């Protein structure tokens, strides 16, 4: 399962877009999405450490993936690279 942290703020159209993208991608990849308000102390601290300049901020397994408009294609590619390799047996 991949941990996604979504840093959002009120009245943010790009945040709503990111939520829709994550819902679609979550149908194909096991995601655990945690939404944190950028206005909160936790959100501000996390944004400062990760380098999020504005909402929405997206962290994948604790690492900055990006901020602003979330690209579904880019996220799917990144998650595909994180997927474990299939176990192969010698033969």
């Amino acid at each position: 399962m991949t941990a996604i942290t979504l840093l959002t703020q009120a009245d943010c159209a790009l945040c709503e877009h990111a939520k829709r993208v994550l819902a679609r991608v979550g149908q194909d990849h096991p995601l655990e999405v945690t939404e944190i308000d950028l206005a909160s102390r936790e959100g501000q601290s996390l944004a400062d450490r990760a380098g999020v300049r504005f909402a929405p901020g997206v962290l994948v397994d604790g690492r900055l993936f990006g901020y602003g408009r979330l690209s579904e294609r880019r996220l799917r590619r990144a998650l595909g690279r994180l997927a474990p390799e299939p176990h192969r047996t010698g033969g």
Side-chain angles (χ1 to χ4, degrees):
M1 173 116 10
T2 303
I4 303 288
T5 304
L6 180 61
L7 298 169
T8 62
Q9 65 186 28
D11 299 321
C12 171
L14 291 177
C15 298
E16 295 306 316
H17 168 79
K19 291 175 193 180
R20 290 190 300 272
V21 168
L22 290 170
R24 285 192 302 268
V25 172
Q27 294 174 359
D28 302 320
H29 296 274
L31 302 178
E32 181 180 340
V33 179
T34 303
E35 184 177 344
I36 299 174
D37 187 344
L38 264 175
S40 70
R41 182 174 292 185
E42 178 186 13
Q44 289 175 353
S45 175
L46 191 53
D48 287 345
R49 284 181 300 186
V52 173
R53 303 287 182 238
F54 51 86
V58 178
L59 285 73
V60 176
D61 286 336
R63 293 191 193 115
L64 179 63
F65 180 77
Y67 51 88
R69 188 175 197 286
L70 178 59
S71 166
E72 184 170 342
R73 177 183 287 171
R74 183 171 164 249
L75 179 60
R76 286 182 182 278
R77 270 188 270 175
L79 293 173
R81 287 192 297 270
L82 292 175
E85 291 289 323
H87 181 68
R88 296 190 176 123
T89 57

